[in-house]
Amino acid sequence: MQQLINNPNVISGGPNILSTPIEYLKGVGPVRADLLKKELEIHTFSDLLEHFPLRHIDKTIVGLIKDIRPDTDTIQVAGTLLFSEIVGAGRSKRLVAQVRDRSGILELTWFQGISWVTKLLEPGTTYLIFGKTSFFNGKPQIVHPEIEVFVPAVAGGKPHLEPVYPSTEKLKARGLNGRQLAKLTAQLFQQIRSSDIPENIPEAILQKYQLTSRATAFRQMHFPANPDEFKKALDRLKFEEFFMVQVRMNLVRLRRHRYSKGVAFEKVGELFNQFFHHYLPFSLTGAQKRVIKEIRNDTGHGRQMNRLLQGDVGSGKTIVALMSMLLAADNGFQSCFMAPTEILVQQHHAGLQKLLKDLPVKVALLTGSTKAARRKEILEGLLDGSIQIVVGTHAVIEERVKFSRLGLVVIDEQHRFGVEQRARLWEKADIPPHVLVMTATPIPRTLAMTAFGDLDYSVMDELPPGRQPILTVHRNEMARASVYDFVRSEIDKGRQAYFIYPLIEESNKVNYEDLLQGYEQVKSFFPEPKFRISMVHGKMPAEQKETNMQRFVTGDTQVMVSTTVIEVGVDVPNATVMVIESAEKFGLSQLHQLRGRVGRGSEKSFCILLTGSKASKEALERIQIMTQTQDGFVVAEKDLAMRGPGEIEGTRQSGALNTRVASIVHDRDWLEKAKIEAEELVAEDLTLELAKNLMLRQYLSLREGKTAWSRIS
Ligand code: ADP
Ligand code: MG
């Protein structure tokens, strides 16, 4: 009682009881509290409440020792202690005990907490024993079992599901095994009331999906009466988890729509129309039309656009960017078009010039290697407004450029472009420009919804018509000679080829050996002077890299030997073959990005994945997926399923993915439902002022306080 009184949270009473430090729970105290904190990160009542069981066991089901088989995983038996003794010394010192039931004898072993366990054990007493079984010298045993004095179940009693908690060896050795944790949790429910776990989802939504109330769900996660109750509790918490993420994301997105001022591209003017009717060399795909419409809608109303555009390699994002920039120009605004590398920027610049022909739009190219005099001209032109579009590398534009009227920023090939970087661009104009981020890294829908839910989001899931499919095959290294012969036949037809090598990282040192050997090997296969070979890798001086790349782009060299540096965006339509060496060492999305470098022209293209004989099962699975589909979104879904969300490029830092019970891979139904409800709720009540949303609002403001605090500390 004294302890309780000393705890300020308890004195103030009310909603804070869950933030009470764990030592104030009856049965814990300072020593155990220390262990719980160190071993399980359980600091408060609420941490214990959210320390969910791994599974439940039915305590009324007691097995027989004779039924333990080599493939038995865990078992619960009731055995009478025959003896216990300490054997060995030093490191191999252990406590060994034997128990017997009517069917056989079981050995129990402890390596840790020996003195503590010894005190518990009394020969002749019957214990309920639970644990993972193994065999030692042909005899069954359990190492570090959970053990307590056996109380026979009442005959005909109801099944009793007992939670099994994740614990650690150290905790078990100190007597805080799963069963003890269950006792503490039961104690916790004695000390708190249902009203301490207030509802946070509006009633109508609970009704609609038949969701268990929050307080009940927490209780039934730990102590369900039957498996069905547990499942319903789990479903409720999964929905809640997704729902809260989606509400937050929607609040950020819609509040920005409502309150952030943006420049308005009110009219569709001369440049846009001229281009659309007379200059466009093809008709737009349905997806392109849809996205352009979305952008027009976004930018037309005086609120700032923040749009992520995802389109698979070759889906035609550049034209969408261009038409958006023409829209800006029509309304008297400038645009900047940024790409990550100098090569890409040059290609974009040349591409735009070719498309725009004689249209009266001034486009400038600005990179690190722009000559000083030219740079000065461009900077002046941007400042006085005579240049409408500048194409450049991120670094250059961020550092030195000032605009007269910046209205639109397009960022190509970088979905990782962070909020901070965007904010820096906003500073370049009084009213923040619209931002369009384009990426060719397909991201599964569920992942995008979660990781980028605060952005507006468009997908181009359609390739322009008439594309030749890329034939992707898997070959063993042994077949290398025939692969080279094939490449030679393509080059003889006037085409170009890539050979890609992985980089091996050894203790922070990147190893280029394979690449250099590969270069020699390729050279020896194509010895005639008519074959010219470029090589590019990340450690090369930038200038040399550019030169070598440029020679390949212009067709001066027929073969490009490279690491993954060519991964992003490069467009050489005449290249029709890509050989990926040691393909087992690449991830799925990387393979897909690489493959996107071929199949860009009208000729049939090929991607050959070479592997050694040591490829793992998973690597072979990745390669098989590559040979089966060319759809980036399918590849991305498989990648997500194989690796889980935490590993997908560019989403790692997203806090939205740190879900505890829900999984965006396995619970997408709940995610979809949560998204729909969150969107509807936020659209109706952006300030969360309606009475029905009061609890939600309180919940979120408490959580927000928490996050803000953790950021400060
Ligand atoms: P990405 O989305 O990978 O950036 P690009 O914008 O580079 O794709 O377009 C790839 C190629 O497809 C370019 O050569 C482009 O001219 C062409 N293209 C784009 N849209 C269409 C279309 N609607 N019909 C035919 N070809 C198109
Ligand atoms: Mg592109």
Side-chain angles (χ1 to χ4, degrees), residues 65 77-83 97-102 104-106 108 122-129 150:
I65 291 172
V77 296
T80 306
L81 185 71
L82 297 175
F83 67 88
Q98 280 191 1
V99 294
R100 187 180 67 191
D101 69 3
R102 64 188 154 85
I105 288 178
L106 175 66
L108 310 175
E122 183 111 356
T125 305
T126 303
Y127 295 92
L128 188 66
I129 295 147
F150 177 63

Side-chain angles (χ1 to χ4, degrees), residues 282-285 288 312-319 464-465 467 571 600:
F282 36 68
S283 37
L284 296 175
T285 65
Q288 285 170 324
D312 207 346
V313 265
S315 60
K317 294 184 290 295
T318 316
I319 213 83
R467 284 284 158 79
D571 189 26
R600 303 177 76 82

